[in-house]
Amino acid sequence: MSTTAPAGRAASRPLGEDLPIALLAGASVAIVLVLRLIAARGLPLTLDETFTAVITSQSHLADFVREARRDVAAPLYYTILWLLPVARSDFALRLPSWLFILAAAALPLAWRVPGQSRAAAIAWAALLFLWLPGAIFATQARPYALLFLVATAQTIAFARLIDKPSLRRAFVWTGCASLTMLTHYMGAPLGLAQGLVLLAVLRGRALKLWPSLLVLLVPLVEAITHFRVLFEVATGDANWLPRVSLGNLPSYMIYGFGAVAPLLLIVALASRYLRPKEPIPHAAALASIAGLLALVMLVAAGWGRSLVVDRYLTACAPALMLALVTVASGAAARLLLVGISGALATYAAIAAPLKIRETSMEWAAQQLIPLRPQQLKFSLGYKGQQMLAMETRRKIGEYFFRRAGVPTRAELVPTLDGRELVRAAGRDSAVIWIFYPESRPVAESIARSRKCFIRPLQLACPPLASR
């Protein structure tokens, strides 16, 4: 089986082979995009997104840096949002994530992997957009859509470097790798895996590229200066991450390929068996191998430790979907990959509309804003909330009120018991309690006795003195 493709082959393919897959991909992307936009209307900010809003709404650079450094996330996403105009709505806060996902899908078409046919590039672009976790990332003001974009760029940059090694291409690759690590620390294994593959292929020739490694000093120094916060969260009560085990290993392994990974793998492998003579682009194959290696590294790092959750594998996903397209042989196989992914994404958008499955306090705040409370006592309902800085606590509680022009003064009460929170509030303070399902009976009891607003996971109580 050949692992190389003639330089001019991609350009010389007849348009007739590309047109069907382009039409199918375009139709799938258009339909799913419209359905996603409709489904995303009115989704409240999750608690994590509220932290994003607080961090990126700071008026002064010093305040922004202080809040960003207190958070466990890497700084690039927050920096981009802070440099943009202040978001006055949930949609405006999430708009960059939509743009990042669209840009990630467009990148393989604008910046081709060497040796990859136009049809394969279209198929890869479609798979990137139709990837189901991307539907969630596009509707969240969190760094994962940006991580998906920069990891896609890093995968392409690595493929181009391995195809024609040069110092210029090496700097482009390490630049993309730096952006990936500055977006999410769990993006580092992708760069490490690619570096190992590069050394295995180039061997002594790789030494000529060493100046490009200087670019990596930026994310390295940033991670070192942020290490204390990372360590405190990883070892403290705020660490809720699951442990990788035999029970959940399959879900981690197929995450980057998508929800129907077994079916897509069967299509790709069967087509290769039936049509073994179609060349496999050398650069795409090595980039795919590096993505698989990075996935194994992350799973190994999280084995038996509370260190890795599935979305931390996002940086591997572009390379894993590239692997599917690279192994697939023939136009029919690529059409099947796009058709299956498009059908699943369309079905998911219709039958399983986007829902906020994480805790949120926006609805509770909206119930109280018309009452214009002067004081608010609130609890975020998780053990790690006592680790928040006093200044951050106040800003989180006041965010939705300040955005609505209500000068409410907020104070966090670090308790998991709603009864303690209500006692601390007394008669003069409004109450917001974020609770978990096991505390529902207590929340309902408080709602009846104090005439509060209640919905799953949120309780909002007006001040007793205002009645």
Side-chain angles (χ1 to χ4, degrees), residues 153-428:
Q154 182 181 338
T155 299
I156 297 173
F158 175 73
R160 295 175 66 84
L161 171 63
I162 207 82
D163 179 63
K164 291 183 179 179
S166 69
L167 190 58
R168 182 181 66 84
R169 290 192 174 192
F171 269 110
V172 173
W173 169 59
T174 54
C176 291
S178 296
L179 294 177
T180 300
M181 287 184 278
L182 288 170
T183 302
H184 201 289
Y185 297 116
M186 288 300 176
L190 178 63
L192 177 58
Q194 291 172 342
L196 292 174
V197 172
L198 188 71
L199 287 173
V201 174
L202 299 185
R203 300 185 181 182
R205 291 183 296 159
L207 295 176
K208 298 178 181 179
L209 307 177
W210 74 264
S212 65
L213 297 178
L214 295 175
V215 178
L216 297 175
L217 290 176
V218 176
L220 178 62
V221 170
E222 194 284 326
I224 291 173
T225 60
H226 209 179
F227 179 77
R228 183 181 63 82
V229 174
L230 299 174
F231 181 78
E232 288 177 354
V233 172
T235 58
D237 291 333
N239 187 352
W240 56 270
L241 300 177
R243 299 182 179 186
V244 181
S245 64
L246 288 175
N248 59 19
L249 179 61
S251 65
Y252 280 88
M253 296 304 295
I254 69 175
Y255 181 82
F257 294 106
V260 288
L263 181 56
L264 297 181
L265 285 170
I266 289 172
V267 169
L269 292 173
S271 68
R272 178 56 56 182
Y273 176 78
L274 294 173
R275 296 189 55 176
K277 293 184 179 180
E278 179 172 292
I280 294 179
H282 180 69
L286 292 175
S288 302
I289 291 171
L292 288 167
L293 180 57
L295 174 65
V296 172
M297 288 179 176
L298 282 166
V299 169
W303 192 267
R305 307 180 187 90
S306 297
L307 190 63
V308 176
V309 70
D310 54 7
R311 60 178 173 265
Y312 289 2
L313 309 179
T314 298
C316 305
L320 298 180
M321 284 179 273
L322 175 62
L324 289 172
V325 173
T326 301
V327 172
S329 180
R334 288 184 279 269
L335 278 169
L336 272 175
L337 291 179
V338 175
I340 292 170
S341 299
L344 177 64
T346 303
Y347 173 79
I350 296 173
L354 295 172
K355 295 180 180 178
I356 296 298
R357 293 179 172 85
E358 302 175 38
T359 54
S360 171
M361 63 184 295
E362 183 170 4
W363 177 86
Q366 288 172 344
Q367 310 313 303
L368 299 176
I369 285 172
L371 304 176
R372 304 183 68 85
Q374 294 184 355
Q375 300 179 54
L376 171 72
K377 297 290 193 297
F378 72 102
S379 170
L380 302 178
Y382 67 96
K383 293 180 180 178
Q385 62 185 328
Q386 70 270 12
M387 297 177 63
L388 296 174
M390 298 299 294
E391 182 183 18
T392 303
R393 298 179 183 186
R394 175 181 58 79
K395 291 177 179 178
I396 288 292
E398 295 175 358
Y399 173 74
F400 292 107
F401 295 90
R402 299 285 179 179
R403 193 173 74 172
V406 179
T408 300
R409 298 188 303 275
E411 178 186 348
L412 183 139
V413 180
T415 180
L416 304 182
D417 190 335
R419 291 163 295 197
E420 292 182 9
L421 176 61
V422 169
R423 285 195 293 270
R427 294 183 54 82
D428 297 327

Side-chain angles (χ1 to χ4, degrees), residues 45-130:
L45 294 184
T46 66
L47 192 55
D48 283 345
E49 289 180 288
T50 306
F51 275 91
T52 296
V54 168
I55 293 169
T56 59
S57 64
Q58 301 304 303
S59 301
H60 303 290
L61 176 61
D63 295 333
F64 163 71
V65 172
R66 184 163 54 250
E67 290 296 339
R69 300 300 291 172
R70 288 169 178 165
D71 193 80
V72 70
L76 181 60
Y77 173 74
Y78 292 147
T79 303
I80 292 174
L81 261 65
W82 185 76
L83 292 173
L84 295 174
V86 176
R88 301 295 182 185
S89 67
D90 295 351
F91 176 78
L93 191 66
R94 290 164 170 158
L95 180 59
S97 293
W98 282 103
L99 298 178
F100 294 148
I101 291 293
L102 290 170
L107 201 54
L109 304 177
W111 198 27
R112 189 85 63 83
V113 169
Q116 188 180 55
S117 69
R118 186 185 297 111
I122 295 171
W124 186 29
L127 292 184
L128 290 173
F129 182 82
L130 297 170

